[in-house]
Amino acid sequence: MGKFKVGDIVARRSYNYDVLFRITSINGGIADLVGITVRIIADAPEYDLKHISKEEADTIISNLERSRRVRLNRCYSNMNKKYMNIREKKVTDLNPNIFTKEKILKKPGVILHVDRRPRICK
């Protein structure tokens, strides 16, 4: 095929262009990809890839950043409301439970797993 080269920004047709990738290497028509908008490593055949222009990539990335900021602000606002409710409850409660705050404000962590197909050395 040969129309792609290392460093190109692409998206995968089969996944409806959901993630932007940068090509790190091409071997036998299969491109190794590293995610730009999501922390991921993948590979895809060249026929499944679509070039993304620099301007289009900048627009997509700025839209993602804007939506992430909105979600973070909403999260911080909700946490602040919960904290203020706890403080008000402590003032009015005669026997406050010191563990209530920790129970309400704890959020489970997110674990990222990156699985990569092992390469067989010859």
Side-chain angles (χ1 to χ4, degrees), residues 9-44:
I9 297 173
V10 296
R12 295 182 293 182
R13 286 186 176 93
S14 61
Y15 286 86
N16 202 20
Y17 313 110
D18 61 344
V19 178
L20 295 183
F21 293 94
R22 185 174 313 279
I23 297 177
T24 57
S25 68
I26 301 173
N27 297 321
I30 303 292
D32 290 329
L33 310 169
V34 174
I36 295 173
T37 55
V38 177
R39 188 176 174 189
I40 187 171
I41 297 173
D43 59 358

Side-chain angles (χ1 to χ4, degrees), residues 25-91:
S25 68
I26 301 173
N27 297 321
I30 303 292
D32 290 329
L33 310 169
V34 174
I36 295 173
T37 55
V38 177
R39 188 176 174 189
I40 187 171
I41 297 173
D43 59 358
E46 287 188 37
Y47 64 81
D48 190 34
L49 300 178
K50 175 190 172 204
H51 277 283
I52 303 293
S53 68
K54 179 72 171 140
E55 295 80 24
E56 192 177 357
D58 289 342
T59 303
I60 291 169
I61 290 170
S62 67
N63 289 340
L64 280 172
E65 288 299 321
R66 189 176 311 118
S67 71
R68 285 179 184 160
R69 277 193 301 271
V70 167
R71 287 193 311 254
L72 276 173
N73 286 338
R74 191 179 318 132
C75 180
Y76 287 137
S77 175
N78 289 338
M79 286 178 60
N80 193 27
K81 285 178 189 175
K82 288 180 183 178
Y83 178 71
M84 294 309 261
N85 288 340
I86 291 168
R87 286 185 62 196
E88 289 173 9
K89 186 177 178 182
K90 272 190 174 181
V91 171

Side-chain angles (χ1 to χ4, degrees), residues 38-42 109-116:
V38 177
R39 188 176 174 189
I40 187 171
I41 297 173
V110 176
I111 300 172
L112 173 68
H113 293 278
V114 178
D115 295 329
R116 186 172 179 150

